[in-house]
Amino acid sequence: MFKRIGILTGGGDAPGLNAVIRAAVRTAIGEFGMKCTGIEDSFEGILGDTQTRKLTLKTVSGILPRGGTILGTRNKGSFCKIVDGEMVIPEMPIDEALVNLKKHKIEALVVIGGEGTLAIAEQFHLRNFPVVGVPKTIDNDLSATELTFGFRTAIDIATEALDRLHTTAASHDRVMVMEVMGRNSGWIALEAGLAGSADIILIPEIPFSMDAVVKKVYERERIGSLFTNIVVAEGAMEVGRSEIYLDEGELRLGGVGEYVRRRVEEKTGKESRCVVLGHLQRGGSPNAFDRMLGTNFGACAVRALVSGERGKMVALEAGHVETVPLADAIENVKSVPVEGQLVRTARDIGISFAAENEDDF
Ligand code: F6P
């Protein structure tokens, strides 16, 4: 049994981070009599002068519904590098971190984060430091788990936004374009688009054609629907083009919504507006599902550490939390299967993905 474990959150924040922290602390202290140290601002907290704080039952009291993370996070550590427009696997100063962990008497780590954070966690494992990961991201793009926490809350927020856009689009007979997050996968766009009754969904997995977008707008006009709601994932690409970045140097996706809006207006003459949902999808209170999933993940992660599991990540598999090797978790990004059931259903109910060959489906 460990005397003290460390807990940290890394990458972009997601609703439910505090639920995981709270459950891990309550399980570690209450069930196993261990002590907990919170490492602040992702791995930065165990580098240099170090920034840590004591986590007790008292300090985690009341945080379950709170958005963000009480420990702070970073999605680009001081040790990360961008080389030739690509984020290279962060070169974590692992020796320094191991010395500092020892100094703080931290014997094992619960690392809560997405692909990049878990890749660093794996480096600790490869140096024989006990670590268990917890999969976080609103993008739901980790292949080794059915769901990441944060995703369902993001879908709720995007769906509500679409409902609101619907009424204003219909009142003004406009084309409304809503850009959502998701990096290079289209899960948020697809699921929110289905739940919020989008007419066109543009996702990175299906390159779109502007002609197909316009065709759908006109098709709707013919049946008397003078407005169109489009959801576009930030990583969506027009056929023959690549993703659009806000700032190439920073590798921040964004701008495709405005691009689609402008082109629709040019091609149809219809008034069109674009809304970028952005960080509203990440901020604020987690929904009930993410509180539950985060809590289950947090407790399971501590139990896994105590029972001797190493280099693992907790993962949801058919509604049950299990553990999988961290290495599997960081290997592949989970994309929307273009031949999958949800895409099929969307097409069956008349939603267009504006593929070049959309008519063939
Ligand atoms: O991975 C989560 C996410 O919200 C992505 O959907 C988005 O591309 C990215 O993080 C934005 O990160 P930030 O604005 O924090 O740099």
Side-chain angles (χ1 to χ4, degrees):
M1 181 84 74
F2 305 109
K3 286 202 178 71
R4 179 182 294 277
I5 62 168
I7 301 172
L8 69 83
T9 53
D13 66 342
L17 281 166
N18 289 325
V20 182
I21 296 169
R22 170 178 172 270
V25 169
R26 287 174 76 135
T27 305
I29 297 175
E31 178 65 15
F32 298 112
M34 301 190 287
K35 290 194 163 69
C36 295
T37 298
I39 296 165
E40 297 188 355
D41 301 336
S42 188
F43 293 96
E44 298 293 308
I46 39 164
L47 298 175
D49 292 341
T50 72
Q51 291 265 47
T52 62
R53 69 162 91 168
K54 221 196 239 171
L55 289 174
T56 62
L57 296 179
K58 180 107 181 72
T59 58
V60 297
S61 167
I63 68 170
L64 179 60
R66 208 190 296 171
T69 159
I70 60 163
L71 293 176
T73 187
R74 293 287 179 272
N75 53 3
K76 193 151 55 73
S78 54
F79 48 86
C80 296
K81 274 205 241 157
I82 296 178
V83 177
D84 295 334
E86 299 238 346
M87 172 91 85
V88 293
I89 289 280
E91 289 173 4
M92 176 74 191
I94 205 98
D95 291 322
E96 181 185 337
L98 289 171
V99 168
N100 285 333
L101 286 168
K102 198 160 183 196
K103 232 186 263 171
H104 286 274
K105 300 191 169 55
I106 297 171
E107 297 168 339
L109 279 178
V110 172
V111 174
I112 311 162
E115 191 200 352
T117 307
L118 296 174
I120 303 174
E122 166 79 353
Q123 294 180 29
F124 283 86
H125 168 60
L126 295 175
R127 296 289 298 271
N128 291 321
F129 193 86
V131 57
V132 166
V134 179
K136 165 246 56 155
T137 165
I138 64 162
D139 305 334
N140 198 30
D141 61 353
L142 290 182
S143 60
T145 181
E146 221 165 82
L147 271 180
T148 51
F149 71 86
F151 173 65
R152 286 277 171 87
T153 304
I155 296 296
D156 284 353
I157 294 165
T159 303
E160 196 204 329
L162 261 179
D163 285 348
R164 289 175 185 277
L165 291 179
H166 216 107
T167 57
T168 171
S171 304
H172 287 266
D173 296 339
R174 281 176 175 157
V175 176
M176 298 298 291
V177 182
M178 184 171 89
E179 180 182 307
V180 295
M181 285 184 165
R183 288 204 300 181
N184 300 102
S185 65
W187 292 105
I188 299 178
L190 176 61
E191 296 205 12
L194 275 163
S197 170
D199 307 300
I200 302 173
I201 300 176
L202 307 178
I203 57 175
E205 293 84 350
I206 305 177
F208 64 88
S209 124
M210 279 313 301
D211 287 344
V213 171
V214 168
K215 187 157 179 266
K216 181 69 183 174
V217 172
Y218 285 145
E219 233 172 73
R220 286 180 52 74
E221 302 238 314
R222 274 198 297 281
I223 57 160
S225 295
L226 303 181
F227 67 95
T228 297
N229 273 317
I230 304 177
V231 181
V232 53
E234 62 181 1
M237 289 167 280
E238 192 176 5
V239 177
R241 291 172 175 254
S242 49
E243 318 90 312
I244 300 177
Y245 289 95
L246 285 170
D247 174 347
E248 286 289 338
E250 285 292 319
L251 295 179
R252 285 168 59 216
L253 287 164
V256 66
E258 177 55 23
Y259 173 81
V260 170
R261 183 206 70 77
R262 217 179 34 243
R263 300 290 310 280
V264 168
E265 208 166 73
E266 278 163 16
K267 280 175 172 273
T268 64
K270 277 186 81 69
E271 250 196 289
S272 176
R273 298 283 189 270
C274 169
V275 170
V276 180
L277 212 50
H279 295 79
L280 291 174
Q281 292 156 100
R282 280 182 12 194
S285 195
N287 67 10
F289 181 87
D290 283 330
R291 294 180 198 190
M292 180 281 291
L293 183 62
T295 298
N296 203 8
F297 273 165
C300 288
V302 171
R303 289 205 297 273
L305 270 179
V306 170
S307 63
E309 297 204 54
R310 300 289 177 262
K312 296 286 181 65
M313 180 189 84
V314 291
L316 195 70
E317 180 64 43
H320 195 258
V321 174
E322 314 210 320
T323 55
V324 295
L326 264 176
D328 291 1
I330 57 187
E331 206 172 47
N332 294 311
V333 164
K334 180 171 66 184
S335 302
V336 170
V338 296
E339 309 286 343
Q341 193 178 55
L342 273 189
V343 171
R344 178 76 262 163
T345 294
R347 282 191 163 122
D348 284 353
I349 64 162
I351 295 173
S352 168
F353 289 89
E356 246 181 346
N357 55 344
E358 194 67 19
D359 290 341
D360 301 345
F361 294 100

